[in-house]
Amino acid sequence: MNKNYLIAVVDDDQHIRNLVEAYLLKENYRTIGLGSAEEAWTLWQTSPPDMWVLDIMLPGMDGYEFCRRIRSEAEVPIIMISARDNEVDKILGLELGSDDYLVKPFSPRELVARIKRQLQRWYKMSSPSEGANSLTTYARLEVGHLQLLLEERRVFWCGEEVDLTNKEFLMLKVFADSPNRAFTRDELLTFVWGDDYFGSDRAVDHLIKRMRKKLEHVPIEAVWGHGYRLRTKGSVQTDEAGISN
C-alpha cells in the first residue's frame, strides 16, 4: 500500500543518500535527503515527513539524540542505519524508539522492504477503523480518574486532557481495558508494536517511562520479574449509547 509517503533520508554520506533515494523513487515514494540532524530537526518543525531513515554517526547532533527528540513528540516510523554492528548499539537505538536497525553495508532492496513493512504497520496502527489493536468495542473507558475517548483518541486525567503519542495511547488502552491485570513485556509488545516486532522488550520500559512523565500520578506500576499493570479499584466501560457495562 503506497500512499505517496514522504521519506526523509538523513546521512552525511551523499552517495548513500542518493542511492537510497533512487530506490525509494522507483517505488513511487517522495524523498528528501539531509546531511545533518540539525537540518532534519528544522524539517520536522516545518514539514514533517512520514518516515525517517536515520544514520547514527552524523556531524553535530548524532542520530541517537535526534531519535530521542522525535520520540518525545511523535511515533513516526524511524529506521536507523549504521556501520556499527554491535548489539549494544542496536539495543540503544531500539530503546530510544527506533522501529528498526540496519547495518551498513546493506542491500537497498532490503531497506525498501523494511520501509514498506514499517509504513504498513504505521498505517494500520494509526487508523481508528482498524481492529487489530482494538481490545474493546466501547467508545469510552474510565478507570478511576482516567478517561479514554477511544474513537477520538483523547485521554483525560482528573478532567485535564493529556497529549499522548499513538503508541502511548495504545499502551494505556491495553491497561485501561484490563485494570489490575499484570501484562508481560512480550504481551505489551504484541499489542502495541505487533506480533512481527523483533526488537528488544526494553522498548516497553522506555515507553512506560515516557508515559509516566506525562501521566505522573496514573498508577502504572511495575510487576517485578513480569511486566506492568494499571492498579485501580474499579473501572467503567461505556458503549456508544452511554450504557455502562
Side-chain angles (χ1 to χ4, degrees), residues 105-124:
F106 54 82
S107 163
R109 289 187 177 88
E110 180 183 356
L111 176 60
V112 170
R114 294 189 183 209
I115 286 171
K116 287 181 179 179
R117 184 179 68 179
Q118 292 299 334
L119 286 172
Q120 287 170 353
R121 176 187 290 151
W122 171 248
Y123 177 80
K124 187 175 184 179

Side-chain angles (χ1 to χ4, degrees), residues 18-156:
N18 292 342
L19 181 63
V20 171
E21 286 190 82
Y23 273 83
L24 291 173
L25 289 170
K26 286 182 181 179
E27 298 293 329
N28 297 317
Y29 292 112
R30 294 179 296 129
T31 68
I32 181 169
L34 302 160
S36 72
E38 286 78 10
E39 293 178 89
W41 186 249
T42 298
L43 177 69
W44 172 251
Q45 295 175 312
T46 55
S47 303
D50 299 295
M51 184 173 188
W52 297 95
V53 176
L54 176 65
D55 187 25
I56 292 177
M57 300 302 293
L58 293 167
M61 186 196 312
D62 64 18
Y64 289 135
E65 174 61 19
F66 180 78
C67 181
R68 187 192 65 77
R69 290 191 183 188
I70 292 293
R71 278 292 172 265
S72 68
E73 297 189 2
E75 294 292 347
V76 57
I78 299 173
I79 292 182
M80 281 188 166
I81 56 176
S82 175
R84 294 180 174 180
D85 187 11
N86 185 301
E87 184 178 0
V88 173
D89 293 314
K90 293 179 182 179
I91 291 175
L92 178 58
L94 293 169
E95 283 184 347
L96 289 174
S98 69
D99 298 283
D100 204 343
Y101 188 106
L102 196 59
V103 177
K104 298 178 182 178
F106 54 82
S107 163
R109 289 187 177 88
E110 180 183 356
L111 176 60
V112 170
R114 294 189 183 209
I115 286 171
K116 287 181 179 179
R117 184 179 68 179
Q118 292 299 334
L119 286 172
Q120 287 170 353
R121 176 187 290 151
W122 171 248
Y123 177 80
K124 187 175 184 179
M125 185 176 66
S126 301
S127 300
S129 60
E130 290 289 345
N133 289 304
S134 179
L135 303 179
T136 178
T137 58
Y138 300 111
R140 177 169 60 92
L141 282 175
E142 290 186 27
V143 181
H145 297 295
L146 180 68
Q147 183 183 77
L148 283 75
L149 303 183
L150 303 183
E151 292 183 348
E152 299 177 27
R153 296 211 167 202
R154 300 173 69 191
V155 174
F156 295 85

